């Protein structure tokens, strides 16, 4: 079996170019002296652009050769370490294009309960956290969803009964809504007379006009700003925890999807300590203009501060904050017009003006677009930037892209836009059932249309959105891309017509992501001259049943030639 991470034409062109260049060099100066290898990994099942190989030789941070053990003998010296892989599968390091790493690390220390927890489990968790809370402390936790809570809708009074006077704020599964108790609402100054904030915020109220404790979008941000912020050291520790967790899953590079100044300081601090192992590109929050102006203060080698995050809408759940072209299937929210189709958080003209400015500055823009109307607004803005600044600007990203019309799919290809999909939400689960109920079954037939995007020739990458999802495991992503079912298989499939192959899924997580980050010349494939970023797996994901891929475990993670994670269970 031969695995190719690029198209046949591209692979052939690279092979021909390399062969010609090598021959010309040897004609001029004679045969090159084989580089001595620091480490040679043998008896492996190694995926390369030229097919499967048995061995890989590494000198410093660089791959110097791939082939069989005999081929690589010329690179072996008395000092070379030889590691027997025992037939294990080796892939390039994986790249997650949508992570909130500091938030993920902080969540590990929060008042957390499992996604899908029922009302009793949620209230029991909050009661336990409230009993241990120190005077003046707030409880922050999550993640809840209305479907899992059952027939009783979330309300501040439910939290009041188990928390007393301790302020409580709980994130939902999308991180676009919160559930607060009365103490938190009082501390934030939110009453029956408080209007919805600008920018798509919603303070939900009951029939008597009192706040229920459910706050959406910018209303949620307003109350979160009242929480005592984590200290700088806590942020650094959280980032360290998150990056190590990702290394254990084989993630050797990633894109931080939303960063404000406090987290920029944490990134710079961890990099200065030599502990930021992965290559990271960070997307600065559009609201933090000070950070955007001062971004060079925080940039470090391997830490790019070259992307801006713009949030165009919310989520297509019961919140109805994702901007849709057609009304939601269950649109009936006390006559609120904005809840019928959702709405953009800024006018199309304002979105385009900002994107033109960022594009001209050489910044990539990552646009949160959950609805098809917001996806269209994003493409319109990219088109305006191409017209204003020329056709060869940055490859801007449409993040999530849950719903895209066929005509807009074709537009993205012509505009050089990238779709960043989130496969962790594709299989039947509480949040997806909420989406199905809100948008209707017809639109779900093309939910997260990966196959259509690839068929249209659009550039596609993948992002977990961790910790919005409980795990960033890429093996769950690969499996659900292929099966469109729950991990392990189920009788239900979600938009099965959008399923792709294992090889395609791996390409999205390696070569495609590397090109999107602008480091495709260094990583994304395993071949001589490239950086030695690779992972060793406990099973061959190309030969096991697709429903078993989620059980894959990483045995070794190598970054720049150094083993930065070794499983204790080898």
């Amino acid at each position: 079996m031969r695995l190719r991470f690029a198209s046949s034409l591209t692979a052939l062109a690279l092979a021909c170019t390399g062969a010609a260049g090598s021959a010309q060099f040897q004609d001029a100066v004679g045969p090159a002296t084989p580089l001595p290898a620091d480490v040679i990994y043998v008896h492996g099942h190694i995926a390369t652009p030229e097919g499967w190989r048995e061995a890989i030789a590494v000198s410093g941070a660089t791959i110097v050769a791939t082939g069989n053990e005999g081929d690589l003998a010329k690179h072996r010296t008395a000092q070379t370490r030889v590691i027997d892989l025992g037939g294990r599968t080796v892939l390039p390091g994986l790249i997650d294009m949508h992570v909130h790493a500091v938030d993920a690390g902080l969540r590990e220390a929060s008042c957390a309960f499992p996604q899908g927890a029922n009302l009793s489990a949620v209230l029991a968790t909050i009661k336990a956290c409230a009993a241990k809370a120190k005077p003046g402390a707030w409880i922050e936790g999550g993640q809840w969803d209305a479907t899992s809570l059952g027939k009783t809708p979330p309300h501040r009074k439910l939290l009041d009964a188990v928390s007393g006077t301790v302020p409580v704020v709980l994130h939902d599964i999308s991180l676009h809504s919160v559930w607060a108790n009365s103490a938190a609402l009082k501390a934030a100054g939110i009453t029956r007379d408080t209007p919805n904030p600008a920018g798509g915020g919603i303070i939900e109220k009951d029939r008597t006009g009192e706040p229920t404790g459910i706050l959406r979008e910018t209303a949620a941000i307003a109350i979160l700003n009242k929480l005592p912020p984590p200290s700088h050291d806590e942020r650094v520790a959280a980032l360290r925890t998150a990056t190590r967790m990702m290394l254990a899953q084989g993630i050797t590079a990633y894109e931080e999807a939303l960063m404000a100044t406090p987290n920029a300081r944490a990134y710079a601090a961890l990099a200065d300590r030599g502990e930021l192992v992965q290559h990271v590109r960070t997307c600065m929050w559009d609201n933090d203009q000070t950070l955007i102006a001062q971004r060079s203060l925080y940039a470090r080698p391997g830490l790019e501060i070259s992307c801006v995050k713009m949030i165009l809408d919310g989520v297509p759940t019961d919140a109805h904050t994702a901007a849709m072209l057609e009304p939601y299937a269950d649109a009936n929210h006390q006559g609120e017009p904005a809840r019928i189709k959702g709405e953009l958080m800024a006018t199309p003209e304002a979105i385009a003006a900002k994107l033109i400015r960022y594009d001209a500055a050489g910044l990539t823009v990552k646009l949160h677009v959950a609805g098809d109307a917001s996806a269209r607004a994003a493409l319109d803005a990219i088109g305006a930037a191409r017209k204003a600044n020329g056709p060869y600007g940055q490859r801007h990203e449409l993040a999530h892209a849950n719903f895209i019309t066929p005509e807009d799919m074709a537009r993205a290809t012509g505009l050089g836009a990238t779709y960043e999909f989130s496969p962790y939400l594709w299989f039947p689960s509480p949040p997806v059932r909420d989406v199905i109920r809100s948008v209707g079954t017809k639109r779900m037939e093309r939910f997260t249309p990966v196959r259509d995007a690839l068929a249209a020739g659009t550039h596609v990458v993948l992002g977990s959105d961790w910790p919005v999802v409980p795990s960033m495991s890429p093996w769950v992503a690969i499996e659900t891309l292929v099966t469109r079912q729950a991990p392990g298989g189920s009788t239900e499939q979600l938009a099965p017509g959008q399923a792709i192959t294992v090889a395609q899924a791996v390409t999205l997580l390696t070569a495609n992501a590397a090109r999107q980050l602008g480091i495709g010349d260094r990583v994304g494939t395993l071949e001589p001259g490239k950086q030695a970023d690779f992972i060793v797996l406990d099973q061959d994901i190309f030969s096991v049943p697709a429903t078993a891929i989620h059980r894959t475990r990483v045995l070794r993670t190598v970054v720049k030639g150094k083993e930065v994670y070794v499983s204790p269970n080898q």
Side-chain angles (χ1 to χ4, degrees):
M1 173 181 178
R2 292 174 63 82
L3 169 68
R4 293 190 178 276
F5 293 97
S7 67
S8 299
L9 182 60
T10 301
L12 179 61
L14 288 172
C16 292
T17 301
S22 176
Q24 292 170 1
F25 179 77
Q26 290 180 14
D27 287 345
V29 299
T33 301
L35 287 171
D38 297 316
V39 188
I40 297 178
Y41 295 83
V42 299
H43 303 149
H45 186 57
I46 302 166
T48 80
E50 300 307 314
W52 294 103
R53 297 293 182 262
E54 299 174 359
I56 184 168
V58 177
S59 178
T62 305
I63 299 169
V64 295
T66 62
N68 59 44
E69 189 173 357
D71 296 333
L72 272 56
K74 59 187 176 184
H75 298 281
R76 185 172 177 176
T77 70
Q79 288 73 44
T80 300
R81 284 197 306 137
V82 177
I83 297 177
D84 191 333
L85 296 173
R88 300 296 192 187
T89 295
V90 178
L91 299 179
L94 306 181
I95 301 173
D96 191 327
M97 291 295 294
H98 197 126
V99 171
H100 304 278
V102 177
D103 292 336
L106 291 171
R107 186 183 184 278
E108 294 297 305
S110 71
C111 187
F113 42 83
Q115 287 192 10
N118 62 27
L119 182 60
S120 296
V122 171
L123 296 180
T125 301
I126 302 309
K127 184 176 182 178
C129 290
K132 297 183 293 183
K134 296 178 181 179
W138 286 52
I139 292 174
E140 182 180 11
Q143 296 161 283
W144 58 273
D145 67 275
T147 301
S148 298
L149 297 179
K151 296 181 179 179
T152 303
H155 196 280
R156 58 185 167 80
K157 292 181 179 179
L158 295 170
L159 298 180
D160 292 347
V162 295
S163 61
T165 60
V166 180
V168 176
V169 177
L170 303 179
H171 298 273
D172 81 328
I173 51 175
S174 71
L175 296 188
H176 283 252
S177 300
V178 299
W179 175 14
N181 69 351
S182 296
L185 293 175
K186 182 178 179 180
I190 296 174
T191 70
R192 64 180 295 127
D193 299 320
T194 306
N196 287 336
I202 296 169
I203 300 171
E204 291 199 351
K205 298 177 181 178
D206 59 26
R207 292 181 179 179
T208 69
E210 293 293 334
T212 65
I214 303 301
L215 309 171
R216 312 284 191 184
E217 305 300 343
T218 55
I221 294 172
I223 198 169
L224 290 172
N225 286 338
K226 298 294 183 179
L227 283 163
S231 69
H232 172 71
D233 288 344
E234 287 172 334
R235 291 178 190 273
V236 174
L239 179 58
R240 182 187 296 112
T241 295
T243 56
R244 290 176 177 177
M245 291 174 70
M246 286 189 278
L247 288 173
Q249 292 283 3
I251 297 169
T252 57
Y254 67 91
E255 186 166 80
E256 170 66 48
L258 181 66
M259 185 179 73
T261 298
N263 287 356
R265 295 192 183 109
Y267 267 103
L270 196 67
D272 289 342
R273 297 177 190 182
E275 297 183 59
L276 188 61
V277 176
Q278 289 101 330
H279 179 96
V280 183
R281 178 164 76 182
T282 61
C283 295
M284 301 167 285
W285 191 18
D286 175 49
N287 283 12
D288 194 341
Q289 289 295 313
T290 299
L291 173 59
I292 294 172
Q294 298 177 350
R295 59 189 180 274
S296 296
L297 294 176
Y298 306 102
R300 302 288 190 275
L303 174 59
E304 295 184 45
I305 318 288
S306 59
C307 173
V308 174
K309 177 68 171 290
M310 291 177 61
I311 301 176
L312 302 197
D313 66 346
V315 288
T317 63
D318 65 320
H320 288 199
T321 54
M324 306 296 291
L325 293 171
E326 301 297 331
Y328 281 93
D330 60 348
N332 182 19
H333 278 75
Q334 292 82 45
E336 294 181 58
R339 309 297 294 281
I340 296 175
K341 293 185 181 180
E343 62 181 1
L344 295 171
M345 294 185 177
T347 66
E349 294 76 17
I351 294 168
K354 281 188 174 182
L355 199 143
I356 289 170
R357 187 173 78 250
Y358 293 139
D359 181 79
L363 293 167
T364 300
V365 180
K366 191 178 191 76
L367 302 115
H368 171 107
V369 293
D372 50 12
S374 59
R376 179 163 296 177
L379 293 171
D380 289 344
I382 294 171
R386 298 291 185 245
K387 185 176 181 179
N389 301 329
Y392 303 112
Q394 309 303 306
R395 188 183 286 276
H396 305 298
E397 303 167 13
L398 279 68
H400 306 305
N402 301 123
F403 299 97
I404 309 165
T405 65
E407 55 266 36
D408 284 340
M409 186 70 74
R411 285 183 66 205
T413 307
L415 290 170
T418 293
Y419 283 125
E420 177 245 290
F421 294 120
S422 302
Y424 305 77
L425 297 178
W426 294 345
F427 52 83
S429 61
V432 172
R433 293 191 193 285
D434 193 4
V435 174
I436 294 171
R437 184 173 60 250
S438 295
V439 306
T441 56
K442 183 63 178 178
R443 276 181 287 199
M444 292 300 291
E445 293 175 1
R446 298 186 66 253
F447 181 65
T448 313
V450 184
R451 186 171 184 176
D452 286 354
L454 292 175
T458 307
H459 196 69
V460 175
V461 296
L462 303 178
S464 66
D465 203 10
W466 184 51
V468 175
V469 297
S471 169
M472 90 312 292
S473 167
W475 316 107
V476 170
I478 292 170
E479 178 174 324
T480 55
L481 278 161
V482 174
T483 67
R484 306 289 294 208
Q485 296 172 318
S490 70
T491 58
E492 298 177 272
Q493 278 188 297
L494 192 59
Q498 296 301 324
I500 61 174
T501 68
V502 174
Q504 286 175 316
V506 172
T507 299
L508 302 186
L509 283 161
T510 54
N512 274 26
R515 286 197 295 272
Q516 181 63 25
L517 288 180
I519 55 175
D521 60 321
R522 288 181 278 151
V523 301
T525 56
L526 301 179
E527 52 189 312
K530 285 201 169 181
Q531 188 168 294
D533 287 12
F534 56 86
I535 56 178
V536 182
L537 310 181
D538 71 341
Q539 64 176 0
D540 180 7
I541 62 173
F542 298 94
S543 62
V544 300
T547 52
I549 293 175
H550 73 280
R551 295 199 293 265
T552 303
R553 297 292 178 265
V554 175
L555 302 179
R556 298 174 188 264
T557 301
V558 177
V559 177
K560 295 183 179 179
K562 296 181 179 180
E563 291 189 346
V564 294
Y565 170 78
V566 177
S567 171
N569 299 318
Q570 286 205 71

